[in-house]
Amino acid sequence: MRAFFEEMFFTPKWYHYPVILLLLPLSILYGFVMSVRRVVTSKKSFDIPIISVGNLIVGGSGKTPFVIALASQFEDVFIISRGYGRKSRGLVEVSTRGEIAVDVMQSGDEPMLMAESLPKASVIVSEEREQAITLAKEKGAKCIILDDAFNRVEIEKFEIVLEPRNIYNYLPFPAGAFREFWFNKKYADIVAKEGESFVREVDFENLRSKMILVTAISNPSRLDKYLPDGIVHKVYLEDHAYFDEAMLEKLLSEYGAQSLLVTQKDVVKMQGFKLPISQMKLKLEVKESIFMKVEEYIKGYPQ
């Protein structure tokens, strides 16, 4: 069922359209409510430059590598994330200026990847973004990056919206993958289009001749165009799911594979596994003009 809806959201086929038509009234109502909310909600200022990196669709569009690329440009930056998929609750300080304080169960996979990738930044996870912003200010943040916060309309911030290529279904949830009407991107300060404002670069580490692709990301079929030769089986788990080492070891034996091919987001949840790992490393090359606009915003922010 999950695969059916993911396909309907991102690459719908003829057999999806009866379901799409059935859900269309709910989609229009949902999109209307989200648009009204965006217009009528008053924004709160926290007297610190806040940059939001978000998107309009559910699932992945490159937010995590974009946040990593952006945060690496600045000093004393704090990243605040919701921490989807973590086993903890409340506010958790994942890292302070590169020193990691918790494990991936407490942080969630994406915040841990950001913490490991950014030795000069600090990472906080919290359901209550305002509480995390207050703590970041107390700890000396000079700017804050909110991960996946375009829909947090109550916070005054500089908005960057990522727009992936090859979108085939522009309807709001539940008939499509959009969290709002697609044209609400007009509220962003920057619309960063894949292929124009940023491009993906994929490198591999420790490739083997026979591998099993194992991943827990949204819309995993988007990896297909990057996959090397030698994939003998694919295992798709729900986004942010954790892995069972014994199950993965059994799969390696069953398919005669020499290693597991995983993304960086997945490998942070395999720390301590005694299994052969091959890694798919995604990096974004972001246009310098994006960084310059953000720097102008930070420098021009009232002190």
Side-chain angles (χ1 to χ4, degrees):
M1 185 62 71
R2 177 174 62 90
F4 176 88
F5 279 99
E6 279 193 346
E7 189 178 38
M8 185 181 84
F9 285 170
F10 300 106
T11 54
K13 305 296 189 297
W14 65 267
Y15 48 81
H16 292 112
Y17 286 98
V19 179
I20 289 173
L21 288 173
L22 183 66
L23 296 174
L24 184 58
L26 288 175
S27 286
I28 293 173
L29 177 61
Y30 177 77
F32 175 76
V33 170
M34 294 301 288
S35 292
V36 170
R37 171 177 172 267
R38 182 170 289 281
V39 172
V40 303
T41 303
S42 58
K43 298 181 183 296
K44 180 179 179 180
S45 172
F46 287 86
D47 299 321
I48 187 172
I50 299 174
I51 303 100
S52 164
V53 177
N55 61 1
L56 282 169
I57 62 171
V58 298
S61 61
K63 291 189 302 295
T64 299
F66 195 98
V67 167
I68 291 170
L70 181 61
S72 66
Q73 303 293 308
F74 303 104
E75 298 289 333
D76 293 321
V77 58
F78 276 65
I79 299 166
I80 296 172
S81 173
R82 169 71 171 74
Y84 288 106
R86 63 190 173 114
K87 302 298 184 181
S88 62
R89 300 285 298 172
L91 187 150
V92 176
E93 294 183 66
V94 179
S95 67
T96 302
R97 293 174 176 83
E99 292 190 17
I100 297 173
V102 299
D103 61 25
V104 70
M105 293 283 193
Q106 295 173 281
S107 68
D109 48 14
E110 291 167 346
M112 182 57 71
L113 176 56
M114 290 186 282
E116 290 184 353
S117 303
L118 294 164
K120 295 182 180 180
S122 303
V123 180
I124 299 172
V125 294
S126 177
E127 297 89 352
E128 299 296 331
R129 305 292 179 96
E130 295 187 12
Q131 182 184 7
I133 292 169
T134 300
L135 177 63
K137 287 182 63 179
E138 291 173 356
K139 287 185 166 286
K142 292 184 179 176
C143 68
I144 292 170
I145 297 176
L146 294 185
D147 173 42
D148 195 16
F150 185 58
N151 65 336
R152 298 306 300 264
V153 297
E154 74 280 7
I155 299 173
E156 183 182 286
K157 56 195 185 298
F158 185 90
E159 303 277 15
I160 302 174
V161 167
L162 307 189
E163 186 172 85
R165 65 174 82 196
N166 300 327
I167 299 174
Y168 301 101
N169 181 349
Y170 281 83
L171 291 171
F173 187 81
F178 277 72
R179 303 174 181 182
E180 307 179 38
F181 289 126
W182 66 271
F183 50 76
N184 279 359
K185 66 183 181 180
K186 68 184 179 182
Y187 293 106
D189 297 284
I190 296 175
V191 177
K193 296 182 179 181
E194 184 177 357
E196 296 179 18
S197 302
F198 67 93
V199 295
R200 299 171 188 257
E201 294 184 352
V202 178
D203 292 321
F204 295 93
E205 186 177 279
N206 191 36
L207 287 182
R208 310 299 294 271
S209 59
K210 295 180 72 175
M211 299 174 289
I212 296 175
L213 174 67
V214 180
T215 188
I217 65 172
S218 173
N219 188 24
S221 61
R222 61 195 161 105
L223 297 178
D224 287 349
K225 62 183 176 181
Y226 302 110
L227 293 179
D229 295 334
I231 304 298
V232 297
H233 185 59
K234 297 177 181 179
V235 178
Y236 296 151
L237 303 181
E238 289 188 14
D239 195 14
H240 305 292
Y242 290 83
F243 302 103
D244 182 280
E245 185 177 10
M247 182 269 283
L248 297 178
E249 187 174 20
K250 183 179 177 182
L251 283 172
L252 284 169
S253 175
E254 182 180 346
Y255 287 91
Q258 298 162 316
S259 69
L260 304 170
L261 179 63
V262 300
T263 68
Q264 290 169 289
K265 176 179 165 180
D266 298 311
V267 80
V268 297
K269 293 178 290 190
M270 295 183 177
Q271 299 293 339
F273 282 19
K274 295 178 174 59
L275 297 173
I277 299 293
S278 303
Q279 197 172 160
M280 178 185 294
K281 294 187 172 183
L282 171 64
K283 180 183 176 183
L284 297 190
E285 278 294 326
V286 182
K287 263 192 171 181
E288 189 65 29
S289 59
I290 302 286
F291 298 142
M292 290 174 64
K293 287 179 183 177
V294 174
E295 188 172 1
E296 286 174 10
Y297 162 74
I298 293 173
K299 287 183 176 179
Y301 196 86
Q303 300 298 318

